[in-house]
Amino acid sequence: MTTIKTATASLPVSADALFAFLSDLSKHRAFLEPAAMNFQGDADRHSYVIEVMGMKMPQELVVKERVPGQRVVLVPGAKKMFDHELRFEIASSSEGCTLCLVDEADIPMMMAMMGAEKLLQGQLDTALARIRELVDEEKI
């Protein structure tokens, strides 16, 4: 397993408010688009298509675990490229909360050779930056 994680971001929003947003997968559209095409989601799962090196790849994630105010864990649903566990790790802080995205991924050798780890890191960093923007815009 490869561990890929973002820096920890300090956000001026309560841990409970951030958890409420992240625990409802239908709201993930706000930070996944425009890269996530044909987004469909409900509270417990979402699916979309991403384009990687000219190939359209379907993604589907479902909730594995919710720990109020602390953590949301997602795993692949029926459409998966490889096994992985994506965690949104939330902690209360004096200014609001902190957030770190962690992906424990079993990346196949061929995908690793094609730079999948770097691509995943970029996706996590972009998602975190977009979540920060949503907080700054008071949309979370």
Side-chain angles (χ1 to χ4, degrees), residues 71-93:
R71 181 173 56 249
V72 178
V73 181
L74 308 180
V75 295
K79 298 175 187 170
K80 69 178 180 178
M81 292 191 295
F82 51 86
D83 287 324
H84 67 109
E85 180 177 281
L86 174 60
R87 296 189 310 270
F88 294 87
E89 298 180 347
I90 304 165
S92 292
S93 71

Side-chain angles (χ1 to χ4, degrees), residues 25 28 32 44-48 59-63 74-77 79 84 86:
L25 272 55
H28 288 203
L32 291 173
D44 298 319
R45 73 176 47 240
H46 58 48
S47 63
Y48 53 92
Q59 304 288 304
E60 181 181 40
L61 292 170
V62 298
V63 173
L74 308 180
V75 295
K79 298 175 187 170
H84 67 109
L86 174 60

